[in-house]
């Protein structure tokens, strides 16, 4: 079963991270499916034991409200026992949105790949791209 990488991205920064996660998954020997959240079905995504979710910090340290927030709400009832990678880009904040998101997923019973989300300031630099690729490899490993 291919590993779903579901993301929302307004200006492409989180999308670049999602693409790096996909490269890591493939490098790790698994198949990946890159899915804009508007095209993703929560039940189908949660049918996998491992998957990745990406969203930038929007609103005031929140998930994007019209597509990603409802998707994550739907997933919260489905992720107990699942291994999930969180990632996303932010601008001027200190990563608060990701800490809140990590707590939500842990409270819903998910295990976070790497123990925490992978974050990048605006467009991911080389180091952030590498962190996404490594996290993708860890996802592939966790799926074995
Ligand atoms: C409407 C809006 C709200 C934002 N709110 C925050 C915020 O609360 N904290 C923050 O650090 N960055 C915030 N940002 C900056 C984005 O998170 C940042 O530009 C990010 O790289 C966008 O990722 P994307 O290219 O995947 O859309 C906001 C950007 C927009 C457009």
């Amino acid at each position: 079963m291919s590993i779903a990488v579901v993301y929302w991205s307004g200006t492409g920064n989180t999308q670049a991270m999602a693409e790096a996660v996909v490269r890591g998954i493939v490098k790790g020997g698994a198949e990946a499916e890159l899915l804009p959240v508007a095209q993703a079905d929560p039940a189908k995504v949660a049918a996998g034991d491992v998957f990745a979710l990406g969203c930038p910090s929007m609103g005031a340290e929140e998930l994007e409200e019209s597509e990603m927030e409802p998707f994550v709400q739907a997933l919260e009832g489905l992720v107990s026992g699942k291994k999930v990678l969180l990632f996303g880009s932010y601008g001027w904040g200190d990563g608060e949105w990701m800490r809140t998101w990590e707590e939500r997923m842990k409270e819903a019973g998910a295990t976070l790949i790497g123990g925490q989300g992978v974050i990048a300031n605006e467009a991911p630099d080389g180091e952030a791209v590498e962190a996404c690729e490594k996290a993708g490899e860890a996802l592939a490993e966790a799926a074995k």
Side-chain angles (χ1 to χ4, degrees):
M1 187 166 173
S2 67
I3 298 173
V5 179
V6 179
Y7 71 96
W8 184 93
S9 185
T11 55
N13 298 333
T14 303
Q15 183 176 342
M17 298 177 80
E19 288 164 355
V21 170
V22 165
R23 286 196 298 277
I25 291 171
V26 171
K27 194 173 169 204
E31 281 178 33
E33 186 177 17
L34 185 62
L35 278 172
V37 65
Q39 293 170 24
D41 175 65
K44 278 190 195 157
V45 170
D49 289 334
V50 307
F51 49 88
L53 305 173
C55 184
S57 179
M58 297 294 287
E61 299 297 333
E62 286 152 347
L63 297 176
E64 186 279 326
E65 66 180 352
S66 72
E67 294 176 353
M68 199 71 193
E69 176 59 35
F71 185 84
V72 169
Q73 274 181 26
L75 269 186
E76 279 179 303
L78 305 169
V79 296
S80 184
K82 307 289 180 180
K83 295 173 192 165
V84 182
L85 169 66
L86 301 182
F87 62 92
S89 174
Y90 67 99
W92 51 85
D94 69 350
E96 182 189 337
W97 105 104
M98 182 57 77
R99 294 194 294 277
T100 306
W101 196 10
E102 288 164 355
E103 282 313 310
R104 279 178 74 176
M105 300 315 284
K106 285 195 266 185
E107 272 169 31
T111 302
L112 298 182
I113 296 285
Q116 58 183 8
V118 178
I119 64 176
N121 188 235
E122 299 292 354
D125 61 10
E127 203 177 315
V129 166
E130 198 177 317
C132 290
E133 289 175 352
K134 285 261 180 299
E137 280 187 69
L139 262 187
E141 200 53 46
K144 283 176 187 166

